């Protein structure tokens, strides 16, 4: 009985806490936002029903838990090291004497002679006579020396080293391995059980402490009547979706956001009367020059159509709102004189874009400017209406068969190596041909090592577009093409051949592709 009285406050506090939690968890669900849909068949009003739960703070006595220390003895195991002598077999090198004989080569001097043939010069006088004209003619003789090489033999002797073999014997030290037993110290471990006193903790419940808890009080109900402006007219199957969110319960206030609407809305006023909140919406513009101006006409261009031999002005209008009316007037003018060539209203073209087919007969090489004057109007447009002007220029040549021949000429692409100093070696590629939008050019760069007249590929061919080459000023570093192999290849004295394969493709024109070709240059690394 005494123990029951001791724990009675704990039981009361626990029951109180459980009842408070149950009260909080029994609160009804609330709805602080709702999506409303407005259609053409409805009046200019829509209703949302919202609710908000209110809670109050109450102080209650609740039990709490404390950690109470106590001590116990416990056993634990430790690893105790000790040392033992462990035998092992080792091998050492020793020496023994052995009598060994071996053949050795020695040399002695010997006199060697040979008979050689030599020559000596011998001369004698010889009479040479010739007839000297005269009256009478006479015979005139002169002595002329005649020499010959006369062979003779003589003995020539010299001393030579003649090898011979003899046996030489001696005692030598011969190594051999012998087995010995040695000992080493090894540390081993054994388990020992020991006892220690440790402090542990147990939980004990005590009474009581004061806590503040949140308790459900009541639920507020609201009927939100949203009134739309008279100008926001829906027709046919048009509909709008808005989200009404309760932002304050006391006093009742809401926020209205468009989810999918044809008009732009803002809250002009709202007033609470009991459970009813009346919200009046007003119109706010959806479009102005910043989001529906020049940038809304996508892909405005002037193009020549070879099949019809006509120019076409075309663009795509990104603003296709049901409550916006758009009209575009197009003027076609001479680029040099600004003289008006033709004027008309933009209409739907065969490709689905808006534009104008120029009926005035013009040369394919004409240079013209198209001026598009666009006006947008409607209740969702800033100030009810605004206008803007866009333009596109056509000032390029039409690709011809003669251009294809020039684009096929390898002499129009120059490949040089301004720097051939080790890792700083680079090449420069200059394409002197005219650049056409219908022609795409690609360069495939390959490197070869030249040795003994043979070529060995030393890189993975790399493709570069003409635009990429122009951005790099036509310069390509060989170390970049070679990667990790650069330091071993770009050494002084090495010969490298650079080959660039040039291919060009024509699109949008009834012409064959230019002939592919290759240009090369040899580098001598310094």
């Amino acid at each position: 009985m005494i123990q029951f009285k001791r724990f009675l406050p704990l039981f009361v506090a626990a029951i109180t806490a459980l009842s408070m939690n149950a009260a909080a968890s029994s609160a009804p669900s609330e709805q602080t936002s709702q999506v409303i849909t407005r259609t053409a068949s409805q009046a200019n009003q829509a209703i949302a029903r919202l609710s908000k739960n209110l809670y109050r703070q109450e102080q209650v006595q609740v039990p709490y838990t404390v950690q109470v220390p106590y001590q116990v003895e416990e056993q634990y195991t430790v690893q105790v090291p000790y040392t033992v002598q462990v035998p092992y077999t080792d091998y050492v090198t020793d020496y023994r004497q052995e009598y060994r004989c071996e053949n050795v080569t020695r040399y002695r001097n010997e006199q060697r002679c040979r008979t050689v043939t030599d020559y000596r010069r011998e001369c004698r006088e010889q009479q040479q006579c010739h007839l000297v004209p005269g009256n009478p003619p006479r015979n005139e003789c002169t002595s002329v020396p005649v020499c010959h090489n006369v062979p003779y033999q003589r003995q020539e002797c010299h001393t030579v080293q003649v090898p011979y073999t003899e046996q030489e014997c001696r005692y030598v030290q011969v190594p051999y391995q012998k087995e010995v037993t040695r000992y080493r110290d090894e540390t081993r471990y054994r388990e020992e059980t020991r006892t220690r006193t440790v402090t542990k903790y147990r939980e004990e419940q005590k009474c009581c402490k004061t806590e503040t808890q949140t308790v459900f009080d009541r639920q507020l109900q609201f009927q939100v009547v949203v009134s739309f402006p008279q100008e926001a007219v829906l027709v046919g199957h048009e509909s709008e979706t808005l989200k009404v969110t309760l932002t304050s319960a006391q006093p009742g206030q809401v926020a209205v956001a468009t989810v999918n609407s044809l008009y732009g809305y803002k809250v002009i006023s709202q007033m609470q009367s009991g459970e009813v909140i009346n919200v009046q919406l007003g119109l706010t513009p959806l479009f102005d020059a910043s989001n529906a101006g020049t940038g809304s006409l996508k892909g405005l261009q002037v193009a020549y159509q070879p099949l019809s031999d006509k120019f076409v002005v075309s663009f795509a209008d990104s603003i296709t709102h049901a409550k916006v009316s758009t009209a575009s007037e197009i003027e076609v003018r001479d680029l040099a004189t600004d003289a008006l060539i033709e004027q008309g209203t933009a209409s739907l073209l065969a490709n689905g874009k808006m534009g104008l087919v120029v009926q005035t007969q013009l040369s394919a090489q004409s240079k013209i400017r198209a001026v598009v004057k666009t006006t947008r109007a409607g209740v969702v447009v800033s100030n009810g209406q605004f206008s803007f002007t866009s333009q596109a220029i056509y000032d390029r040549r039409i690709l011809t068969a003669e251009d294809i021949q020039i684009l096929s000429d390898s002499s129009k692409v120059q490949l040089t190596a301004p720097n051939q100093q080790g890792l700083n070696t680079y090449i420069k590629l200059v394409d002197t041909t005219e650049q056409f939008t219908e022609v795409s050019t690609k360069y495939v760069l390959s490197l070869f090592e030249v040795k003994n007249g043979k070529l060995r590929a030393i890189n993975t061919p790399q493709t570069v577009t003409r635009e990429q080459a122009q951005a790099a000023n036509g310069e390509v570093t060989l170390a970049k093409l070679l990667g990790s192999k650069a330091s071993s290849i770009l050494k002084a004295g090495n010969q490298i051949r650079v080959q660039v394969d040039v291919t060009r493709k024509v699109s949008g024109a009834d012409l064959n592709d230019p002939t592919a070709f290759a240009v090369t240059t040899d580098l001598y690394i310094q």
Side-chain angles (χ1 to χ4, degrees):
M1 187 65 178
I2 295 174
Q3 290 182 349
F4 176 75
K5 289 181 178 180
R6 177 186 174 187
F7 291 105
L8 180 60
L10 290 174
F11 294 147
V12 173
I15 292 171
T16 304
L18 289 173
S19 64
M20 299 300 288
N21 290 334
S25 62
S26 64
S29 61
E30 62 182 9
Q31 183 173 354
T32 58
S33 64
Q34 183 181 349
V35 175
I36 59 175
T37 301
R38 174 182 174 236
T39 63
S41 61
Q42 296 173 337
N44 280 359
Q45 281 189 344
I47 295 176
R49 300 188 183 277
L50 306 178
S51 60
K52 179 67 176 178
N53 290 341
L54 298 183
Y55 297 87
R56 67 177 184 272
Q57 301 292 322
E58 290 188 356
Q59 290 185 339
V60 296
Q61 295 292 314
V62 296
Y64 63 95
T65 301
V66 295
Q67 297 284 330
V68 179
Y70 66 97
Q71 290 186 332
V72 296
E73 285 192 349
E74 67 176 13
Q75 290 185 334
Y76 65 97
T77 302
V78 295
Q79 297 286 328
V80 179
Y82 64 96
T83 304
V84 295
Q85 292 277 323
V86 178
Y88 67 95
T89 300
D90 196 4
Y91 294 89
V92 296
T93 301
D94 204 350
Y95 296 88
R96 59 173 174 265
Q97 281 195 339
E98 289 186 3
Y99 189 75
R100 292 186 177 180
C101 296
E102 59 183 3
N103 290 328
V104 295
T105 301
R106 301 188 185 281
Y107 295 88
R108 61 173 173 267
N109 291 330
E110 288 188 2
Q111 189 79 9
R112 299 281 177 92
C113 296
R114 64 175 181 173
T115 300
V116 294
T117 300
D118 209 345
Y119 295 88
R120 60 174 172 266
R121 192 76 169 167
E122 291 185 359
C123 297
R124 61 183 177 83
E125 295 289 332
Q126 182 176 326
Q127 288 289 325
Q128 288 187 353
C129 299
H130 60 278
L131 188 64
V132 178
N135 190 13
R138 68 180 188 276
N139 196 22
E140 189 175 276
C141 295
T142 58
S143 295
V144 178
V146 177
C147 299
H148 299 279
N149 288 327
V150 179
Y152 68 96
Q153 289 185 336
R154 61 183 178 82
Q155 286 288 320
E156 186 176 84
C157 297
H158 60 277
T159 302
V160 297
Q161 294 281 324
V162 179
Y164 66 96
T165 301
E166 69 178 11
Q167 195 174 61
E168 185 178 86
C169 297
R170 68 180 184 276
Y171 285 97
V172 295
Q173 296 284 334
V174 180
Y176 68 97
Q177 297 288 317
K178 70 177 182 179
E179 187 179 282
V180 295
T181 300
R182 300 183 187 278
Y183 295 87
R184 62 173 174 263
D185 290 338
E186 284 190 1
T187 300
R188 298 184 180 180
Y189 295 86
R190 61 175 174 266
E191 288 189 351
E192 290 186 3
T193 302
R194 298 180 181 178
T195 303
R196 63 187 172 193
T197 300
V198 296
T199 300
K200 294 189 176 182
Y201 295 85
R202 61 174 173 264
E203 289 186 351
E204 288 188 5
Q205 201 169 48
K206 294 184 178 296
C207 183
C208 286
K209 66 178 180 179
T210 301
E211 282 189 356
T212 300
Q213 292 189 347
T214 300
V215 181
F216 173 72
D217 186 25
R218 67 188 187 280
Q219 186 179 76
L220 299 179
Q221 302 282 340
F222 298 96
Q223 177 178 296
V224 183
V225 180
V226 181
S227 299
F228 292 85
Q230 295 297 323
E231 301 89 347
V233 179
L234 299 181
V235 295
H237 296 287
E238 293 178 344
S239 65
E240 292 183 318
T241 304
L242 296 90
K243 184 177 183 180
V244 181
T245 304
L246 187 67
T247 58
S248 173
Q250 293 178 324
Q253 289 187 341
V254 297
V256 180
T258 57
V259 177
N260 184 17
S261 66
L262 295 174
Y263 297 90
Y265 296 109
K266 62 182 178 180
V267 176
I268 296 178
S269 65
Q270 56 178 305
M271 183 175 61
Q272 181 183 4
S273 177
E275 293 184 353
V276 179
I277 302 175
N278 291 296
V279 179
Q280 180 61 52
L281 298 182
L283 290 178
T284 183
L286 291 178
F287 301 102
D288 56 23
S290 66
N291 61 358
T294 306
S296 61
L297 299 188
K298 307 294 184 183
L300 175 60
Q301 65 172 354
V302 182
Y304 173 73
Q305 303 292 339
L307 295 179
S308 61
D309 193 25
K310 293 183 182 300
F311 283 92
V312 177
V313 182
S314 64
F315 59 88
D317 192 349
S318 61
I319 305 300
T320 56
H321 198 277
K323 303 303 178 182
V324 177
S325 62
T326 301
S328 296
E329 290 293 323
I330 301 176
E331 294 180 356
V332 180
R333 294 181 174 273
D334 184 273
L335 187 60
T337 65
D338 201 38
L340 181 64
I341 297 173
E342 188 173 319
Q343 184 176 3
T345 302
S347 59
L348 189 65
L349 302 176
N351 60 3
K353 295 184 177 182
M354 299 296 293
L356 174 71
V357 178
V358 180
Q359 299 301 323
T360 304
Q361 191 66 38
L362 298 173
S363 166
Q365 307 296 342
S366 298
K367 296 183 179 182
I368 59 178
R369 177 168 62 96
V371 181
V372 182
K373 300 178 180 179
T374 303
T375 301
R376 302 197 191 277
V379 294
V380 296
V381 174
S382 177
N383 299 321
Q385 176 179 311
F386 71 90
S387 301
F388 60 91
T389 301
S390 306
Q391 72 172 10
I393 293 174
Y394 185 91
D395 60 352
R396 61 187 179 85
R397 288 199 308 106
I398 301 299
L399 188 67
T400 64
E402 289 76 15
D403 295 322
I404 296 296
Q405 292 181 354
I406 294 174
L407 292 171
S408 302
D409 187 354
S410 62
S411 66
K412 301 298 182 182
V413 177
Q414 301 168 2
L415 183 62
T416 59
N419 189 340
Q420 303 182 31
Q421 300 289 330
L423 294 176
N424 295 322
T425 303
Y426 71 91
I427 59 171
K428 189 173 181 65
L429 180 68
V430 179
D431 194 335
T432 61
T433 60
E434 186 174 351
Q435 198 161 355
F436 297 90
T437 57
E438 302 96 332
V439 179
S440 61
T441 302
K442 290 184 178 180
Y443 312 106
V444 180
L445 283 68
S446 302
L447 302 180
F448 301 90
E449 185 178 34
V450 182
K451 276 191 177 180
N452 301 323
K454 296 182 179 180
L455 301 179
R456 180 177 70 89
I458 54 177
N459 81 310
T460 301
Q462 182 172 334
T463 302
V464 179
T465 65
R466 185 168 187 174
E467 292 73 19
Q468 290 172 333
Q470 289 173 337
N473 197 29
E475 296 176 358
V476 180
T477 304
L478 263 61
K480 183 177 180 182
L481 297 177
L482 293 170
S484 59
K485 301 182 292 184
S487 58
S488 61
I489 293 177
L490 299 178
K491 291 183 177 179
N494 284 357
Q495 182 181 352
I496 306 296
R497 176 166 296 175
V498 182
Q499 177 174 312
V500 179
D501 296 286
V502 183
T503 57
R504 308 187 197 269
K505 296 292 182 183
V506 177
S507 61
D510 190 19
L511 293 169
N512 294 327
D513 291 334
T515 304
F517 58 86
V519 292
T520 61
T521 186
D522 284 349
L523 316 180
Y524 297 89
I525 307 302
Q526 300 174 4

